[in-house]
Each structure stands twice: as C-alpha cells, then as structure tokens.
Amino acid sequence: MGDQQEPSVEKLSVEDSNGAPEDDVVDPWTVTSTSDSGVDYDKLIKRFGSSRIDDALVERLEKVAGKPVHPLIRRGIFFSHRDLHTLLNMVEAGKKFYLYTGRGPSSDSMHLGHLVPFIVTKWLQEAFDVPLVIQLTDDEKTLWKDLTVEQSMKMARENAKDIIAIGFDVNKTFIFANLDYMGRCAAFYQNIIRIQKCVTFNQVKGIFGFGDSDVIGKIGFPAAQAAPAFSTTFPFIFGSDKLPVLIPCAIDQDPYFRMTRDVSPRLGFPKPALIHSSFFPALQGAKTKMSASDANSAVFLTDTPKQIKNKINKHAFSGGKPTLEEHRQFGGNTEIDVSFQLLRFFLDDDEELEKIRVSYSKGELLSGEIKKIAIETLQPIVADHQVKRKDVTDEILEQFMTPRKLNYECSVKKGK
C-alpha cells in the first residue's frame, strides 16, 4: 500500500530514463501535451514515483473521515498520492495533522481551475477538523513573471479574497503571502535556511531545470515553498510540535515536495503526505494552456453569465463529430470534449453525469446541447462565488492573514 520508489532528489527532472524529453512536459511552470486527451497520468505516476488513489484507498478515506469523499476524489480527478495510507494510520492512532496548500498569484482574478485544490482542501479540513495554512507565493511570481514586488503583493491579496470566498473557517485557517510573512515570522526564514543547507545547486538544477541565465532568486525559491510543510514555520499555531502535513495540490507542484520529502528526515520532520489533482482543461482543449493573458482560455471568477455562455459556445473544444450524421452514428468523445470535462469537475450529481456521458457517447446528445448543460452548470457557481467574494472585506482579509493561534489542540484522542 506504500508509494513506489521515488526518484532520487538528483533525478527529478521531466526527462525520461534515456535523457529524452517526454511527450508530456509537466513541471511547476509548464504543462503541455501532444494528445487531445491531455497528459498521460499513468505514465506521470510512474515517472514521478507516486501511487494511484485506487478504490480501496477511497473506501479507507471514507471510513476514517466518517463521510463520503468529495466527488473530485471519487471521480479520480485527485488521482495520485504520496503516503496517504501512512497519514491515515496516524489519524486512526489519534494523532493530529495539518493541511497546507497554496496559490501563485499571477493575476487579479482566479479562474475555475484554481478552485479545484481549495475545494478538496476545504472538504478535508471539515472532514478531519484540522488547521490549514495557505501560502501565496507572490515572491515566486515576481521572480518568474514580468511583475514588480508591489504588483505581486496586490495580486496576492486579491487572490486571497477569492480563496476566502470558498468558505474556509477563519478560526482554523491562516493565509499568508511570502513577501509579507517573511518579515513577520523569523521561524519561516530560519526553516528556509535549514532547507537550503540540505539541497545543492546541482540538485536544484536537476529537479527544476534551472540554467546559468536564471536569476539567483529562482534557485533559492523552492525552499520557500517547502518550508510550510514544516509545522515549526508557524510557531504561533503549533509551537515546537513537529506535526505531519497533508498537501493537496496539482501534480505539477510535486517536484517541490519530492525535494521536501528528501530533506524532511534530515531535519527531524515527518515526510509530507500529498494528494495530487489532474489538470483542469483550457477551453481550447488539452493541448493548450490556460493563461491570464488570454481571457478566452478559461472561465474566470469575474465573468458574467453572458461571458461564460459566449466563451463555452465559441471556444470550448468539442469531442463531437464533424457532421450531424456522423455524430448520430458514432457519438462524441467525452475524453477530449471540454464541456463534458467541465461537468466532470463541477456537476455534483453522479447519476446525471453518467447519463450525459452515455448519451453523448451514443450520439443522442449533441455538442451544442452538452455545451448548454455546461453553461447552465457553471453560471450559478460563478455567480454564487461573486456574491460571497463581495462580502470579503479588507477587515476579514486581515483576520485570515494575521499570525495568530488557531482553534487547534495538539492532543491525542482519549482512549487512544
């Protein structure tokens, strides 16, 4: 039930064992595929050395949580893990853990795909009643994008409001932006230095592909993303306790935490456990990339109902056949149809989703009709988010982003 053998920390690049680039390129900054159906996740699991979230693990997760798993887990959108069984063993033994996830703010508005890790994180927080830390890597975006420090800090605050609007409990959630938190908590920088001492320049080049022309800030940054996986980075929450952590994230972020898992035992911390999500499709299909600079590549959380309708009707890649006759005869391909994939992420009703899948595959449901269903599913979700975001005042934002004691007790359950 454990993980596959992880690659050594020196060999975490996106090349295959023969040194040739894979057809799919997956790293923290680039995700590309040559297939209309997107990244081959079976190959990615093998290459990264993680483990698939199978039916047995889903069943165990439900048993330990005491409630059905979120549809994003049940449908295999969260498909891979590291040491989730080990973490559940700890929970069953009465031990505590915390959650850590994050967002790299590169625009004022997030899109629907950005919500996915946070939605499952919220389910985990509520199911296990644990504290959560959310990192906003405004320092990373300043280093990688054409953004000033001030622009990145502003985007971090705007993104934090979108995250708060998802419905996190302020008494159990701390949100921090690196460019601000670094100056407010010495323990953060101290752990960064501890991590940096454990990783050589050659290792970080092998993991992330840095070159001689990269600015020096990029080389040191991975330690900043690793540090929140150590509970002592938040002494006002955890004191000196060295707690296990579970990190829900998209699988392109995994290289950071393979590095972290290599370093953790050397610094006396438990290895972080992870659950990985697959990638949310760009409207134009799996071969393209969602981009804040291309408003038509995604449904953004600021979009109006009319904009959502127009985007999906005009730009959503179709898995339907070229002619009505062919479609009726051969049916559509739900593996590449973006409208169906949007429903797979955001339509809660499993029976309805399966009905749509079968009907579209048989050619009974047309491309225009499945687009209409996707539009009518997403419009109220985005509209509801906008209403909730308006209620997130600057005062509420400061409550979430102020270092403070959370509603958390590091005690073993009675009877354990």
Side-chain angles (χ1 to χ4, degrees), residues 145-369:
K145 303 282 186 179
D146 185 21
L147 297 170
T148 65
V149 166
E150 292 75 18
Q151 287 172 324
S152 293
M153 293 180 73
K154 178 179 180 294
M155 289 175 180
R157 292 179 64 85
E158 292 300 316
N159 284 192
K161 290 183 177 181
D162 274 321
I163 293 166
I164 292 167
I166 297 168
F168 290 105
D169 184 347
V170 68
N171 295 311
K172 296 178 181 177
T173 305
F174 173 52
I175 301 175
F176 65 100
N178 285 356
L179 289 172
D180 170 69
Y181 185 56
M182 186 80 75
R184 302 174 79 173
C185 183
F188 184 27
Y189 186 58
Q190 290 163 11
N191 276 343
I192 288 173
I193 292 298
R194 292 184 178 106
I195 295 164
Q196 288 176 341
K197 282 191 70 174
C198 292
V199 184
T200 68
F201 180 48
N202 280 339
Q203 287 172 332
V204 85
K205 283 200 300 182
I207 297 166
F208 300 103
F210 297 143
D212 293 341
S213 61
D214 280 311
V215 297
I216 59 174
K218 290 183 179 182
I219 298 159
F221 168 76
Q225 187 155 324
F230 298 162
S231 54
T232 57
T233 297
F234 311 98
F236 47 88
I237 303 175
F238 304 112
S240 59
D241 295 332
K242 293 187 175 182
L243 263 68
V245 64
L246 174 61
I247 306 172
C249 62
I251 197 166
D252 61 327
Q253 298 301 300
D254 185 72
Y256 285 113
F257 301 115
R258 279 180 281 166
M259 182 194 79
T260 310
R261 285 167 59 83
D262 181 76
V263 169
S264 298
R266 294 151 65 186
L267 296 177
F269 289 90
K271 288 186 176 184
L274 292 97
I275 57 170
H276 304 119
S277 70
S278 55
F279 301 115
F280 194 75
L283 286 178
Q284 289 87 350
K287 288 182 179 179
T288 63
K289 189 178 187 298
M290 284 181 286
S291 170
S293 61
D294 182 0
N296 293 319
S297 66
V299 172
F300 285 83
L301 298 177
T302 51
D303 284 346
T304 65
K306 184 178 180 180
Q307 286 174 318
I308 294 170
K309 180 180 180 180
N310 288 341
K311 282 184 179 184
I312 292 176
N313 278 333
K314 292 180 181 179
H315 301 289
F317 188 82
S318 174
K321 296 299 184 287
T323 67
L324 177 61
E325 292 76 14
E326 287 179 276
H327 187 84
R328 290 295 192 197
Q329 182 179 357
F330 300 109
N333 183 352
T334 57
E335 293 296 316
I336 65 173
D337 190 278
V338 168
S339 295
F340 181 80
Q341 293 303 317
L342 293 173
L343 293 171
R344 187 167 164 258
F345 276 83
F346 286 104
L347 181 64
D348 287 336
D349 190 324
D350 285 343
E351 290 186 9
E352 182 64 19
L353 182 68
E354 178 62 11
K355 181 181 175 182
I356 292 167
R357 186 193 69 79
V358 171
S359 182
Y360 191 63
S361 299
K362 289 182 176 180
E364 297 168 354
L365 192 69
L366 302 178
S367 294
E369 293 171 325

Side-chain angles (χ1 to χ4, degrees), residues 23-24 32-40 285-288 336:
D23 290 339
D24 296 334
T32 60
S33 176
T34 58
S35 169
D36 285 334
S37 58
V39 171
D40 186 326
K287 288 182 179 179
T288 63
I336 65 173

Side-chain angles (χ1 to χ4, degrees), residues 90-95 411-416:
M90 294 178 183
V91 173
E92 288 179 325
K95 296 179 180 178
S411 60
V412 178
K413 293 178 183 177
K414 292 180 180 180
K416 296 291 183 181

